Amino acid sequence: MNLPAAPVVSPLPENTRIRLDIAYDGTDFSGWAIQPELRTVQGQIEAGLAAILQSYPPYPSLVVAGRTDAGVHALGQVAHFDLTPDQVASLLRRGRGRTPVSLDVMVQRRLGGILVTQPEIVIKASAVAPPGFDARFSANWRRYEYRIADSVLGHNPQDRLRTTWHGFALDLEPMQVAAASLLGLHDFATYCKPRPGATTIRTLQEFSWRRDPDGVLVATVQADAFCHSMVRALVGACVAVGEGRLAGERLATLRINRARTSEFKVMPPQGLTLLAVDYPSDDKLAARALETRARRSLDEDEE
């Protein structure tokens, strides 16, 4: 007896992942992440995606490299979202013409056109992501800078939205020494706002200070990831050292204690900018994402 051949089942078409490179002025946003009744960067971009894909729900949601807090800026933020085959087809149809437009160009063009009413947000680039790419988990590191105008050369009012004003002169050299004492793989619970179930172990790869020609003090801080308020706490501890209120060697002792302290203040958000996020080569993206997810699956990389 011949049995009928089993029907051939075609695999479902896969979604297409899009990487976005984003810059924004965080002054008038309540941070990156969507919050009810509040204006956020994620909320505005996702609303733009919904507008250009209005006939093709469900609309994409963004996964971001690092969630920034209210008032924090970004020049090198990275996010990704997934498009269904129908959504891809709809965008490509709109890109047909005498000179066909690729999907990544079409996404940037359409989304940028929608966000023209949100001038604080710029989509710097869009691209079809390589296999294994995850904006959050594939990242090698995030780099921030924090700008402080102290009383050495005064305060430039044109930079007020990206620079914190500090009324006392700060001594750069002990701040630099103190920052260097915190480098490496450590538990930074002292310098993080705690989150239930999340680790505060991070690898601080760079923490340095310089004074720019205009007199502004600039901290560069790079780590594999950051927990909530970590950069602003680290900067605040160094400011206490620069004022002479806290001995530089005290910063490492406080880190070892792994407890929140009132010996320094967390700095305000407006001096902080996310500069860049780094990723491995395409062939190592998936492995990096698996490694990171295994170590920090409950964490949010944020500042």
Side-chain angles (χ1 to χ4, degrees):
M1 178 179 178
N2 294 326
L3 296 175
V8 177
V9 179
S10 299
L12 293 174
E14 295 183 356
N15 289 347
T16 299
R17 180 156 293 183
I18 301 294
R19 167 177 169 163
L20 295 181
D21 290 75
I22 309 163
Y24 49 87
D25 178 341
T27 303
D28 294 326
F29 289 105
S30 297
W32 164 270
I34 286 180
Q35 302 176 61
E37 310 299 326
L38 295 176
R39 184 170 181 255
T40 68
V41 181
Q42 181 183 9
Q44 296 303 308
I45 297 175
E46 288 189 5
L49 290 170
I52 66 177
L53 298 168
Q54 54 185 319
S55 300
Y56 298 92
Y59 307 126
S61 58
L62 293 166
V63 174
V64 71
R67 299 197 314 176
T68 50
D69 210 346
V72 177
H73 316 297
L75 294 176
Q77 182 68 278
V78 180
H80 79 249
F81 62 90
D82 294 333
L83 292 171
T84 67
D86 286 343
Q87 291 168 341
V88 170
S90 73
L91 288 169
L92 291 177
R93 280 196 297 271
R94 292 174 180 270
R96 290 174 184 165
R98 292 184 179 179
T99 305
V101 178
S102 63
L103 177 61
D104 49 358
V105 172
M106 198 62 189
V107 168
Q108 184 177 12
R109 182 179 297 177
R110 295 293 312 284
L111 190 54
I114 292 290
L115 292 174
V116 72
T117 60
Q118 310 288 332
E120 305 100 321
I121 305 174
V122 174
I123 305 300
K124 298 169 63 178
S126 70
V128 175
F133 176 80
D134 186 293
R136 176 185 169 198
F137 287 113
S138 294
N140 285 325
W141 50 254
R142 289 93 170 152
R143 179 184 298 143
Y144 286 84
E145 77 169 18
Y146 196 96
R147 294 167 47 87
I148 302 174
D150 63 1
S151 60
V152 172
L153 289 180
H155 181 203
N156 182 351
Q158 292 183 319
D159 288 334
R160 69 191 186 281
L161 299 181
R162 66 187 186 107
T163 307
T164 292
W165 166 246
H166 190 75
F168 302 95
L170 297 172
D171 190 345
L172 174 62
E173 184 174 349
M175 294 170 68
Q176 182 74 292
V177 173
S181 72
L182 296 174
L183 295 175
L185 174 64
H186 303 293
D187 189 332
F188 285 94
T190 301
Y191 300 98
C192 294
K193 186 176 180 179
R195 298 284 190 179
T199 180
T200 49
I201 296 173
R202 298 290 190 268
T203 301
L204 186 60
Q205 301 164 343
E206 179 181 355
F207 188 12
S208 61
W209 287 90
R210 70 179 189 272
R211 192 179 287 277
D212 280 355
D214 61 0
V216 172
L217 280 165
V218 182
T220 301
V221 191
Q222 178 179 305
D224 58 341
F226 292 93
C227 41
H228 192 207
S229 80
M230 180 175 166
V231 175
R232 291 185 288 131
L234 292 170
V235 169
C238 284
V239 166
V241 172
E243 291 177 337
R245 294 191 297 107
L246 193 63
E249 57 270 21
R250 182 68 178 152
L251 269 61
T253 301
L254 290 172
R255 175 187 56 75
I256 293 170
N257 291 341
R258 294 185 299 175
R260 300 286 281 180
T261 177
S262 60
E263 294 186 46
F264 61 84
K265 294 182 179 179
V266 175
M267 297 296 286
Q270 67 266 22
L272 185 61
T273 300
L274 173 59
L275 294 181
V277 184
D278 180 71
Y279 294 91
S281 58
D282 290 357
D283 61 321
K284 296 180 180 177
L285 287 167
R288 174 61 180 169
L290 286 172
E291 175 190 5
T292 307
R293 188 175 282 107
R295 288 189 287 114
R296 286 202 317 274
S297 61
L298 295 177
D299 285 0
E300 294 288 352
D301 300 315
E302 60 184 337
E303 176 46 57

